[in-house]
Amino acid sequence: MRHYIAYNKVKEWGAYSPSIDDTEFGHYSRHHKSRLEKMIGQTVWVISGEKINGSMVYKLCSTYVPTQIDDDEAENPDTGKMEFTGFRCVIGQGFAFVPPIEVNGFQWFAELFKEQNKFSFGLNQIKSQSVIQSLEKIRDDYLRNKPIFDTPKPTVLQEIEQLKDSYATLQETTRQAVVQSRIGQGQFRTSLVQYWQGCSVTGCKQIELLRASHIKPWRDSSNIERLDVFNGLLLLPNLDACFDSGLISFDDNGEIIISSKLSESTLKQLGINSNMKLLRVEQRHKVFLSYHRENVFRS
């Protein structure tokens, strides 16, 4: 797995202070899209720098796994049309270090500071393995001692980290495919798009809106199951959120099953109704659907 540093210069970009509840992060870059796409499924560490009492203070603020690259657009005041600004945003899932960890005094930070030419590169790969190991130790110590909040499950990055032993022995390309399958990218998503050709329930063809969702949760699946196209659905975000949370499921005929925890008003707001069903169900889907009904669905 590759590691990258995203630097936030407070004087130019403003304060960077995510909260304990934040799970989605993003940073702008002028790099070519093909270069940024190589970051998907890798690890980004965010450091913010601010001059305080005449000296620069650097803090480790968050870490995340990129899931998509978006072109940034703004309205042209002359034409009134939305146009590409020259920036692209790297967006991903992770968590914040709260409070941020001041890193000025660490030896590994001095090495990183030199390697990154005083952070003049912006979003850039970390080459030093000793720096990466130091960052990973900070992350592991933080997660081990982090207070438990009222969250139903770990973040994507935490889940990948917790289960890394289950795919650590795989070849690099397979390991990357397994990790990317957890964040709905790469081989797994491509296979689902080819199989379903749209939303598995509504048939919506706007592919960029659809999320690749495991039927049997990623954390409970074997590495083979994590890449199995029959263990996946391609869903609109509202359906994906409900399915992932166990608020809806599907029977072996594909008919939707709705949890009693969803009120009629909420269902109406979400656009979900009892007439919905999967567009197809093959025999190989059924074992995964059965697992979801028995272990994820909240009746």
Side-chain angles (χ1 to χ4, degrees):
M1 178 176 287
R2 295 185 299 276
H3 294 251
Y4 295 81
I5 197 75
Y7 178 61
N8 178 75
K9 190 174 183 179
V10 173
K11 185 177 179 180
E12 294 183 10
W13 293 94
Y16 182 83
S17 53
S19 75
I20 193 71
D21 298 318
D22 288 340
T23 58
E24 183 171 275
F25 303 86
H27 287 84
Y28 290 103
S29 174
R30 287 190 181 275
H31 290 318
H32 193 275
K33 194 168 188 176
S34 61
R35 178 177 175 181
L36 295 177
E37 284 174 340
K38 294 179 181 179
M39 296 174 60
I40 291 175
Q42 307 307 309
T43 298
V44 175
W45 304 88
V46 184
I47 286 181
S48 185
E50 179 180 12
K51 183 169 284 189
I52 300 176
N53 296 326
S55 300
M56 289 297 295
V57 176
Y58 298 93
K59 295 180 180 180
L60 178 63
C61 298
S62 64
T63 182
Y64 67 96
V65 175
T67 59
Q68 65 188 82
I69 310 299
D70 284 349
D71 288 338
D72 186 52
E73 295 183 332
E75 183 177 326
N76 186 320
D78 297 325
T79 64
K81 295 181 180 180
M82 299 298 291
E83 297 181 359
F84 176 49
T85 66
F87 283 96
R88 294 181 174 88
C89 193
V90 180
I91 300 171
Q93 297 288 319
F95 66 92
F97 295 97
V98 179
I101 301 170
E102 187 172 328
V103 294
N104 287 60
F106 290 102
Q107 179 59 42
W108 65 261
F109 178 73
E111 182 179 350
L112 177 67
F113 194 67
K114 181 178 180 180
E115 177 194 90
Q116 298 296 317
N117 194 26
K118 302 179 181 179
F119 299 123
S120 61
F121 302 129
L123 194 60
N124 193 59
Q125 186 174 353
I126 302 172
K127 300 292 187 179
S128 170
Q129 286 302 308
S130 63
V131 169
I132 292 170
Q133 290 170 5
S134 297
L135 286 166
E136 288 180 327
K137 184 178 187 305
I138 289 175
R139 176 195 60 198
D140 294 346
D141 289 345
Y142 178 83
L143 291 176
R144 192 177 299 114
N145 299 308
K146 181 181 177 183
I148 299 175
F149 291 84
D150 186 21
T151 53
K153 56 186 177 181
T155 66
V156 171
L157 184 59
Q158 290 170 334
E159 189 174 75
I160 290 172
E161 175 64 21
Q162 289 168 1
L163 300 177
K164 65 182 179 181
D165 289 345
S166 68
Y167 52 83
T169 58
L170 299 175
Q171 293 184 349
E172 176 66 19
T173 54
T174 304
R175 182 165 64 249
Q176 287 191 21
V178 167
V179 171
Q180 288 177 346
S181 75
R182 176 62 188 94
I183 56 179
Q185 294 289 339
Q187 175 186 331
F188 182 65
R189 178 179 173 82
T190 299
S191 298
L192 289 180
V193 170
Q194 292 173 346
Y195 180 87
W196 290 102
Q197 300 291 308
C199 176
S200 306
V201 175
T202 68
C204 173
K205 303 292 186 183
Q206 200 76 23
I207 300 299
E208 63 268 25
L209 297 179
L210 306 179
R211 295 180 178 174
S213 180
H214 284 85
I215 301 173
K216 181 179 180 180
W218 188 89
R219 69 177 298 110
D220 299 332
S221 298
S222 68
N223 287 318
I224 293 175
E225 291 172 333
R226 288 166 178 169
L227 299 176
D228 190 340
V229 69
F230 292 99
N231 186 24
L233 300 176
L234 204 59
L235 298 171
L236 286 166
N238 59 331
L239 293 169
D240 172 70
C242 290
F243 185 72
D244 188 57
S245 301
L247 295 173
I248 63 171
S249 192
F250 300 93
D251 66 20
D252 284 350
N253 295 316
E255 302 283 349
I256 195 170
I257 306 171
I258 300 174
S259 170
S260 60
K261 298 182 182 297
L262 284 175
S263 66
E264 288 297 325
S265 61
T266 299
L267 288 171
K268 187 175 181 180
Q269 291 167 342
L270 291 171
I272 295 175
N273 64 75
S274 59
N275 295 320
M276 288 181 160
K277 64 180 299 184
L278 295 174
L279 297 179
R280 66 166 100 167
V281 177
E282 297 191 38
Q283 191 63 36
R284 288 174 63 185
H285 286 121
K286 293 181 180 179
V287 63
F288 296 118
L289 289 172
S290 175
Y291 186 95
H292 188 274
R293 292 193 301 271
E294 293 175 8
N295 297 279
V296 182
F297 181 64
R298 296 186 283 162
S299 57

